[in-house]
Amino acid sequence: MQTEADRAQLADNLALVLARFRQTVGLDPDVAVELDETVVTHEPVSMTLEEAIAEGLRNRLELAQARLAVEVAEKELELATNDYTPELTRLQATIRLEQARLRLRQAEQGIALDVQRAYNALQDAYRRIAVTEQRLNEMEENWRVVQALYEARMATDLEVLQAQTGLTEARSAAIHAVFDYNVARAN
């Protein structure tokens, strides 16, 4: 009974995911979408944490904005540094420059932390793939053994059903692990 409920929930989830997919790619809700049986891969990332942080610091928009704010504050201070500008104006320009530099440092640290968090999630997801693949291999072997026992009339229908359920759960976990890895990789 639980297996039927799980199957119904999975069917509902599939319908919802397909509806979201159609909406995302701009298809009409009635358009039929067929899933390909192609296996999703999980290519390992050869980037180190330091390389990932460096790339994050090069490519993040908020960091470019913070750098630009520092440049603007430096120019304002440069313009305010003359004999005709009141001391208060120079002081304000100096304070704005220090604030801009502080925001830049905070942005750099925040981005490095975000990248490190994403990198750790990627490594964790990759390790989970190995665990789920091992579990899948075990469940496939269990399925083969139970099938052979059933054919020799040494296993019950319940044991066959349990082995099949375990195999299906292991396959689902392996697919989820690869999906999670690819999402972590994209992040």
Side-chain angles (χ1 to χ4, degrees):
M1 194 65 165
Q2 181 63 33
T3 304
E4 290 178 26
D6 290 343
R7 184 175 293 156
Q9 183 181 11
L10 288 173
D12 291 343
N13 289 345
L14 176 62
L16 182 61
V17 167
L18 289 174
R20 286 184 188 155
F21 174 75
R22 286 186 197 100
Q23 181 184 23
T24 300
V25 297
L27 296 174
D28 287 329
D30 325 346
V31 173
V33 175
E34 289 187 35
L35 297 178
D36 188 354
E37 292 296 324
T38 305
V39 177
V40 178
T41 61
H42 57 279
E43 299 173 17
V45 174
S46 61
M47 183 180 287
T48 66
L49 176 59
E50 291 75 23
E51 292 169 338
I53 290 173
E55 184 174 331
L57 293 175
R58 274 193 311 270
N59 296 323
R60 294 285 290 264
L61 179 62
E62 61 265 32
L63 199 55
Q65 292 171 333
R67 286 183 186 128
L68 184 60
V70 168
E71 289 177 22
V72 168
E74 287 172 344
K75 291 294 180 189
E76 287 177 352
L77 179 59
E78 184 182 319
L79 291 174
T81 306
N82 61 52
D83 293 336
Y84 304 106
T85 304
E87 182 66 30
L88 182 60
T89 303
R90 279 195 296 270
L91 184 57
Q92 288 173 335
T94 303
I95 290 171
R96 280 194 297 272
L97 176 59
E98 288 307 312
Q99 288 173 336
R101 287 180 177 159
L102 176 62
R103 282 191 293 272
L104 176 61
R105 280 192 303 277
Q106 289 173 336
E108 289 171 341
Q109 292 168 351
I111 289 169
L113 187 60
D114 286 347
V115 170
Q116 185 172 6
R117 189 176 15 255
Y119 189 84
N120 291 344
L122 177 70
Q123 298 304 316
D124 180 56
Y126 190 72
R127 285 187 294 270
R128 274 197 347 243
I129 289 173
V131 171
T132 58
E133 285 176 346
Q134 177 63 35
R135 176 81 174 139
L136 179 58
N137 291 337
E138 291 171 6
M139 289 295 104
E140 286 172 343
E141 182 60 25
N142 183 48
W143 168 249
R144 282 191 289 276
V145 169
V146 171
Q147 277 294 105
L149 289 172
Y150 181 77
E151 290 171 5
R153 299 182 190 266
M154 296 176 67
T156 65
D157 291 340
L158 179 60
E159 291 170 320
V160 171
L161 183 59
Q162 288 172 338
Q164 188 175 20
T165 301
L167 179 59
T168 301
E169 289 172 353
R171 284 180 179 155
S172 177
I175 290 169
H176 279 77
V178 171
F179 178 80
D180 292 344
Y181 173 77
N182 284 319
V183 168
R185 185 176 174 203
N187 286 336

